[in-house]
């Protein structure tokens, strides 16, 4: 329904609302911090783009990384690479502009792609947990269960589910009415700041939006927790410490990524109850939207012998 209504609904709701643009308050209103923050975020942006591009290139160029696990890591890096373009350019502009405005269409577009990439990453991380479960608990069936076709279907499903959830979520926000107030107390168009600006009865839209988010989080969390519970049971029955160490080594990077992603995601989307809570929400949002896309390629490269070997081989090809 929302998939068919989305383009027309966006135009109609914009015309019905008295607000045609929003003002983003940004991270700070202190002029002395604008230049340092601009430089910091620009360095972060450059490192995020180069880091994820480098990891994707290494996976493509080295045949020993053409495995299901690295296929999933490639998709994760691709999402983080695209994700970095959603907020960073607009945030960088806010540090050099007197008034940081964003059109209604631009705001809804930003929210849509934010939801798309976050939801897709949830399902990619879920697929990675299932991959680790099969690799450790069903090693003899691994090549059959995690065949190239099965992996491609898992990633296709992840992106389609992310797209569907993003359409539903954004569709609910688009249907809200925005009257006189147009100042968003944030550096991006996020759900809670937009709900705070809406006028009229928005309970139905809030409910549908909350349910769509809850389904993504609950379903992915159940699969991830179940996968690692079964992995833990399997590890406990391992007699050798070497097998225990190897099993934990293959899961550690993914566990760190999941813990950071879900942890800061929940903290960034807790409804604030005071001005201090709003500041905390902005801080957690910065970590969630800017720091984590930078950390993921580091987590999967610095802690991974295969990636280090691929890096050495690639550098040798370039220098020879």
């Amino acid at each position: 329904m929302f998939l068919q209504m989305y383009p027309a609904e966006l135009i109609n709701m914009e015309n019905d609302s008295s607000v045609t643009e929003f003002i983003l308050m940004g991270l700070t209103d202190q002029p002395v911090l604008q230049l340092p923050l601009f430089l910091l975020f620009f360095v972060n942006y450059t490192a995020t783009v180069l880091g994820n591009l480098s990891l994707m290139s290494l996976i493509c160029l080295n045949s020993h990384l053409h495995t299901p696990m690295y296929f999933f890591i490639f998709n994760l890096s691709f999402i983080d690479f695209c994700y970095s373009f959603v907020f960073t350019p607009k945030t960088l502009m806010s540090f050099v502009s007197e008034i940081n405005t964003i059109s209604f269409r631009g705001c809804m577009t930003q929210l849509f792609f934010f939801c798309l990439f976050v939801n897709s990453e949830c399902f990619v991380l879920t697929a990675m947990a299932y991959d680790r479960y099969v690799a450790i608990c069903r090693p003899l069936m691994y090549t059959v269960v995690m065949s190239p076709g099965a992996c491609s279907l898992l990633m296709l499903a992840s992106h389609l589910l992310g797209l569907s959830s993003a359409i539903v979520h954004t569709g609910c926000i688009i249907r809200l009415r925005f009257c006189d107030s147009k100042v968003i107390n944030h550096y991006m168009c996020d759900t809670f700041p937009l709900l705070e600006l809406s006028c009229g009865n928005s309970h139905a839209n809030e409910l549908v939006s909350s349910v769509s988010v809850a389904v993504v989080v609950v379903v992915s969390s159940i699969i991830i927790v179940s996968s690692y519970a079964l992995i833990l049971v399997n590890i406990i029955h391992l007699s050798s410490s070497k097998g225990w160490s190897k099993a934990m080594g293959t899961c550690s990077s993914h566990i760190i990524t999941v813990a950071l992603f879900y942890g800061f995601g929940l903290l960034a989307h807790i409804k604030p109850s005071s001005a201090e809570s709003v500041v905390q929400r902005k801080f957690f949002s910065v970590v969630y939207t800017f720091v984590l896309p930078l950390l993921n390629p580091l987590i999967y490269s610095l802690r991974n012998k295969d990636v280090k070997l691929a890096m050495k081989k690639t550098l040798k090809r370039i220098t020879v």
Side-chain angles (χ1 to χ4, degrees):
M1 179 180 176
F2 279 114
L3 182 59
Q4 295 173 342
M5 291 173 60
Y6 179 72
E9 194 74 21
L10 178 58
I11 297 171
N12 293 336
M13 290 309 297
E14 182 179 357
N15 291 339
D16 291 341
S17 178
S18 62
V19 174
T20 58
E21 68 176 13
F22 296 103
I23 298 174
L24 296 170
M25 288 186 66
L27 287 172
T28 179
D29 56 357
Q30 299 182 32
V32 69
L33 295 176
Q34 302 294 337
L35 180 58
L37 284 174
F38 175 86
L39 295 173
L40 180 63
F41 278 75
F42 181 76
V43 170
N44 172 274
Y45 178 54
T46 305
T48 300
V49 170
L50 291 177
N52 284 289
L53 269 179
S54 298
L55 186 55
M56 287 189 289
S57 300
L58 286 175
I59 293 171
C60 288
L61 294 173
N62 292 271
S63 58
H64 73 281
L65 297 183
H66 294 175
T67 63
M69 183 176 75
Y70 290 105
F71 175 67
F72 296 142
I73 292 174
F74 178 91
N75 278 269
L76 189 67
S77 286
F78 176 75
I79 290 171
D80 287 336
F81 172 76
C82 296
Y83 188 63
S84 64
F85 292 97
V86 176
F87 302 113
T88 312
K90 192 65 181 172
T91 304
L92 289 174
M93 286 178 62
S94 71
F95 296 128
V96 295
S97 305
E98 290 186 10
I99 301 178
N100 186 27
T101 60
I102 185 170
S103 67
F104 184 91
R105 285 176 180 268
C107 187
M108 294 302 110
T109 302
Q110 190 182 76
L111 177 65
F112 171 76
F113 281 106
F114 169 61
C115 294
L116 170 64
F117 294 130
V118 167
N119 292 332
S120 296
E121 187 155 340
C122 277
F123 290 116
V124 170
L125 290 172
T126 304
M128 292 174 74
Y130 177 70
D131 171 71
R132 293 300 82 206
Y133 158 73
V134 177
I136 295 172
C137 300
R138 299 288 185 270
L140 298 179
M141 297 292 294
Y142 185 74
T143 54
V144 177
V145 176
M146 303 305 294
S147 64
C151 292
S152 298
L153 283 175
L154 279 173
M155 288 301 95
L156 178 62
S158 297
H159 294 303
L160 287 178
L161 288 170
L163 176 64
S164 301
S165 181
I167 290 172
V168 172
H169 187 82
T170 311
C172 291
I173 302 300
I174 288 172
R175 293 169 66 88
L176 297 175
R177 284 189 57 82
F178 300 97
C179 300
D180 298 327
S181 180
K182 61 178 182 178
V183 179
I184 300 176
N185 189 12
H186 214 313
Y187 63 86
M188 65 179 188
C189 290
D190 202 358
T191 305
F192 282 131
L194 288 169
L195 287 173
E196 291 165 4
L197 292 184
S198 66
C199 55
N201 190 349
S202 61
H203 294 300
N205 293 325
E206 285 186 51
L207 179 62
V208 175
S209 176
S210 299
V211 169
S212 70
V213 173
V215 168
V216 173
V217 173
V218 171
V219 169
S220 60
S221 298
I222 288 174
I223 296 174
I224 291 172
V225 171
S226 299
S227 297
Y228 277 109
L230 293 170
I231 288 172
L232 183 61
V233 171
N234 186 272
I235 289 176
I236 290 173
H237 289 88
L238 290 176
S239 56
S240 66
S241 58
K242 185 178 180 181
W244 175 292
S245 176
K246 184 178 179 181
M248 289 303 298
T250 61
C251 297
S252 59
S253 296
H254 183 256
I255 292 172
I256 292 170
T257 303
V258 168
L260 291 172
F261 182 79
Y262 281 91
F264 281 102
L266 290 172
L267 290 171
H269 291 92
I270 293 175
K271 196 168 184 177
S273 57
S274 63
E276 184 179 345
S277 299
V278 172
V279 174
Q280 291 176 353
R281 181 175 67 183
K282 287 184 181 182
F283 170 76
F284 292 129
S285 294
V286 166
V287 176
Y288 192 65
T289 55
F290 292 102
V291 179
L292 293 189
L294 171 64
L295 288 180
N296 284 342
L298 295 176
I299 292 171
Y300 284 104
S301 58
L302 296 178
R303 297 179 55 84
N304 194 301
K305 293 180 181 178
D306 292 332
V307 175
K308 290 179 181 178
L309 178 61
M311 199 177 299
K312 289 179 181 178
K313 287 183 177 180
T314 304
L315 289 173
K316 186 177 288 187
R317 289 178 200 164
I318 296 171
T319 54
V320 171

